[in-house]
Amino acid sequence: MGLIKTEKFSESQNQIALFAKAFGHPARVAIIQHLFKINACVCGDLVEEIGLAQPTISQHLKELKNLGLIQGTIEGTSVCYCINKDNWTAMKTLLNDFFNNNLDSNTCC
């Protein structure tokens, strides 16, 4: 059997691609921005804040949680979400290193 495509790339390259996926939909960007704005865990008011249906919000929360950018805790019948500070910091470091690459000269095309 062939290699899984992600196995052809470094761990860093795969991580950058996964983190970039988090910002690939404006709803996920809005969710992250809202979590930073309130600077606390959110338990259910995202539907009103973001303006999307609950199943859609849940799917985006699941994506963000699977990527490790947010974490959730169960409180009663609700799941409360907040930014995973350690993973957010690791993502920022990785992406900063990537985006801080500079061209040494302008000799291209």
Side-chain angles (χ1 to χ4, degrees), residues 28-93:
R28 290 192 286 272
V29 173
I31 290 168
I32 291 170
Q33 286 176 322
H34 180 68
L35 291 174
F36 274 113
K37 184 173 92 177
I38 64 170
N39 197 26
C41 288
V42 64
C43 302
D45 64 339
L46 282 171
V47 171
E48 293 175 21
E49 181 67 30
I50 307 298
L52 297 173
Q54 180 62 53
T56 303
I57 294 291
S58 294
Q59 184 61 39
H60 289 300
L61 288 169
K62 180 180 174 185
E63 283 288 327
L64 291 169
K65 189 172 181 189
N66 287 343
L67 292 169
L69 295 180
I70 64 171
Q71 57 194 18
T73 57
I74 298 172
E75 293 187 12
T77 59
S78 298
V79 179
C80 299
Y81 292 97
C82 61
I83 300 291
N84 182 319
K85 292 177 186 174
D86 291 338
N87 288 346
W88 184 262
T89 300
M91 180 204 63
K92 281 178 39 177
T93 300

Side-chain angles (χ1 to χ4, degrees), residues 86-103:
D86 291 338
N87 288 346
W88 184 262
T89 300
M91 180 204 63
K92 281 178 39 177
T93 300
L94 185 65
L95 292 179
N96 280 334
D97 289 347
F98 176 70
F99 286 123
N100 283 332
N101 285 302
N102 292 312
L103 296 173

